[in-house]
Amino acid sequence: MFAKSSFLTALGVEVFASGQRRWPDHVKAQAVAETLEPGATVSGVAARYEIMPSQLTAWRRLAKEGKLVLPAVEVNEAVFAPLVVCDEITAASEAEPPSAETPIRIVRNTVIIELAKDAPAARIAEIVHALEAHPC
């Protein structure tokens, strides 16, 4: 029991003398992300975190509803992002070529986020994922 409790406290879980635990969102997200790995099961991950599978399923539901943001998945292959097509038509010859200073622009409804051209792909993915989350 001590080994698992030290595992949980190392993750940032507050373990009280009564046995109750307070789970930070990043630990919940990590547990949910582990269930999405190939070959992983909810029961197996729940046992590792010493929780009931139903609790982990509830966290998975929060993630699906956009109320729990999962960590960006690191992959060694090409990753595709959705393409946003605007109503405004600009001829390719009229389009201004991007310069080295041109920022990366993410537009979601009325929210516009500009990032440096050298922003890491993982950070861009996290921001896009957060923008897709539904407000509480």
Side-chain angles (χ1 to χ4, degrees), residues 23 25 28-29 31-32 35 42-43 46 51-70:
W23 297 87
D25 284 345
K28 292 177 186 178
V32 171
T35 66
V42 171
S43 297
I51 58 175
M52 298 296 292
S54 60
Q55 181 65 56
L56 187 51
T57 300
W59 293 348
R60 286 170 50 107
R61 188 176 314 109
L62 287 175
K64 185 176 180 181
E65 293 170 354
K67 296 177 183 174
L68 183 65
V69 179
L70 300 183

Side-chain angles (χ1 to χ4, degrees), residues 71-88:
V73 177
E74 292 188 28
V75 293
N76 295 331
E77 55 193 45
V79 178
F80 294 93
L83 173 66
V84 178
V85 180
C86 299
D87 290 334
E88 183 179 324

